[in-house]
Amino acid sequence: MDAEADPPTRSRTERHKCFACYKQFKKKEHLVEHMKISYHTPHQPKCGVCQKHCKSFESLRNHLTGPLSRASCSRTFSAQGCDLCLKLYDSPSSLGKHREICHLSAPASLGTKILPFAGSVDEKYTTKGAKAIAINCGLVGGGTDGSLDLCARVCLVDEDENIIFHTYVQPQSAVTDYRYEITGLTEEHLRNSKSHKEVQDRILEILYNGESAWRLMSDSGKARLLVGHDLKRGLDCLRINYPGRLLRDTAKYRPLLKTNLVSHSLKYLTKTYLGYDIQTGEHDPYVDCVSVMRLYKRMRAQDHQVKGIGTPNSDSGFESQKAEELENMTPDELYQISKSDYKCWCLDSSIAAGLNS
């Protein structure tokens, strides 16, 4: 009888659990392979109840409130959790105070004015330390079917939600669809608009922040971070090539993606993480700019209590270890040598603090 009872006991003790996501494996080598491709680090969204790591905030939300949510986590979160940032608070009063801050109101719409308005770059934007700038482009249609994106309006705001540049832009080819229901633009808006080259030069002046072009690829310098949603689309229309390391795209940031790694819309992200509606009619470039900046700042403000392991392409601890050595490590030790596959925006906080000190 004892001999027959031994195998199940041994089978249970031989299961190997991931330190971060709690998946279990029959063989240690399978756990090692899981760790190599999961990129678990403290920078991943994490359940405040059970500490489970998730690949995105959507995965974490499903873990806390979805149909297959963990019961104990769901109960605690429903009583103590913020439905926007997904953090837990120890009392109803502290949760209530937090929600007053976390739930934001929509910014006032800039609207459409027939006469173009262009904000000037004042002295504080050319001498102050590098900070983030958010951009949004109003796109009209060109080509025979109106599907060709043409930039007709640009808005840039700073971290304090001040407009630092806004203007209408003369499209580089004939407009065949003003996409009025979305842009609110007509031919009159673009009649005396700025040339594409003039707008391009002004935007680069703001972003370079007095920095020489050859230094943009270095880690030092005064060039500003550029924040936006689906930045490639707008920058392609503006024909601006800006270093990827200086881009902060809410449509590409791993924690903000869907569980299948597809982008959410800015409309969805704003409602889900900031608590207000946008783009219910015409898309206002200032409102979109402010919203994407708020999303960036909310992600950047997370305090993961770690340094240096939220940077992608850093040497992985797995590469320097032999298979036998990895299999002899505990799940916690495997977690300690794991590296992130994306740069966490919380690391921007320390960089900005150093530049502005």
Side-chain angles (χ1 to χ4, degrees):
M1 292 293 292
D2 292 341
E4 292 178 356
D6 283 344
T9 302
R10 186 167 59 252
S11 175
R12 287 195 297 270
T13 58
E14 285 178 353
R15 296 191 70 85
H16 306 280
K17 182 189 289 187
C18 174
F19 181 85
C21 69
Y22 306 147
K23 288 183 178 179
Q24 297 188 37
F25 303 88
K26 291 182 178 180
K27 295 183 178 182
K28 187 63 170 292
E29 62 191 79
H30 294 164
L31 171 60
V32 172
E33 290 304 313
H34 163 77
M35 292 299 297
K36 287 181 178 179
I37 64 175
S38 296
Y39 305 101
H40 290 312
T41 72
H43 291 280
Q44 289 180 320
K46 185 168 58 175
C47 175
V49 182
C50 70
Q51 306 303 307
K52 176 183 177 180
H53 291 48
C54 299
K55 290 187 176 181
S56 67
F57 282 105
E58 182 171 273
S59 296
L60 176 57
R61 194 177 298 276
N62 289 339
H63 169 77
L64 293 169
T65 64
L68 299 178
S69 60
R70 185 173 179 178
S72 60
C73 296
S74 180
R75 285 194 302 270
T76 303
F77 181 78
S78 64
Q80 301 175 231
C82 173
D83 58 348
L84 294 179
C85 68
L86 306 182
K87 293 180 180 179
L88 293 179
Y89 290 84
D90 55 8
S91 69
S93 61
S94 60
L95 176 59
K97 291 178 181 179
H98 164 77
R99 280 177 171 163
E100 292 178 0
I101 300 173
C102 195
H103 194 291
L104 303 178
S105 299
S109 173
L110 191 63
T112 54
K113 303 176 183 179
I114 295 298
L115 295 177
F117 162 76
S120 61
V121 184
D122 64 39
E123 187 65 21
K124 70 178 179 179
Y125 296 112
T126 56
T127 61
K128 201 172 182 180
K131 296 180 70 175
I133 298 295
I135 187 171
N136 183 264
C137 299
L139 304 179
V140 295
T144 56
D145 60 354
S147 62
L148 177 65
D149 286 336
L150 301 171
C151 183
R153 189 180 187 184
V154 175
C155 182
L156 275 70
V157 303
D158 63 12
E159 292 192 32
D160 297 321
E161 304 178 6
N162 300 308
I163 298 175
I164 57 175
F165 184 60
H166 167 246
T167 189
Y168 299 119
V169 186
Q170 187 62 46
Q172 291 191 293
S173 60
V175 178
T176 56
D177 183 359
Y178 282 90
R179 304 175 182 174
Y180 179 79
E181 295 78 9
I182 297 176
T183 66
L185 300 181
T186 65
E187 183 179 359
E188 285 299 310
H189 291 92
L190 307 184
R191 189 176 302 280
N192 297 311
S193 56
K194 291 182 177 293
S195 71
H196 181 276
K197 182 65 167 61
E198 186 177 2
V199 171
Q200 183 187 66
D201 289 344
R202 179 62 66 86
I203 292 173
L204 289 175
E205 175 190 357
I206 295 170
L207 295 179
Y208 282 17
N209 191 29
E211 192 63 85
S212 56
W214 65 270
R215 290 197 63 187
L216 289 182
M217 299 308 296
S218 67
D219 291 333
S220 59
K222 299 180 293 183
R224 295 187 167 94
L225 299 176
L226 182 60
V227 179
H229 189 80
D230 193 9
L231 279 168
K232 184 178 185 304
R233 187 182 182 192
L235 293 180
D236 283 350
C237 291
L238 289 167
R239 297 188 180 180
I240 288 178
N241 184 23
Y242 205 56
R245 70 175 190 83
L246 295 174
L247 301 180
R248 300 294 182 265
D249 194 337
T250 55
K252 303 295 182 183
Y253 189 50
R254 181 66 59 85
L256 293 178
L257 298 181
K258 298 179 182 180
T259 54
N260 60 358
L261 302 184
V262 174
S263 302
H264 279 295
S265 66
L266 179 59
K267 179 184 179 74
Y268 172 87
L269 293 176
T270 300
K271 180 64 174 179
T272 303
Y273 296 99
L274 302 178
Y276 60 87
D277 292 304
I278 63 170
Q279 301 177 353
T280 55
E282 295 176 3
H283 293 196
D284 188 279
Y286 174 70
V287 171
D288 289 357
C289 253
V290 170
S291 298
V292 79
M293 178 61 82
R294 289 175 176 179
L295 281 167
Y296 165 71
K297 290 172 67 177
R298 183 151 290 183
M299 294 296 106
R300 187 183 67 182
Q302 295 179 84
D303 185 4
H304 295 132
Q305 301 294 325
V306 290
K307 296 181 180 180
I309 63 173
T311 304
N313 301 321
S314 55
D315 293 336
S316 172
F318 296 108
E319 301 300 326
S320 60
Q321 303 284 343
K322 295 181 180 180
E324 296 81 2
E325 295 173 332
L326 292 173
E327 291 181 20
N328 286 328
M329 289 183 178
T330 65
D332 177 53
E333 289 171 338
L334 290 172
Y335 175 74
Q336 294 300 324
I337 65 173
S338 181
K339 303 292 184 181
S340 178
D341 61 341
Y342 67 92
K343 178 176 180 178
C344 183
W345 290 351
C346 79
L347 301 176
D348 290 343
S349 294
S350 59
I351 295 174
L355 289 167
N356 293 320
S357 60

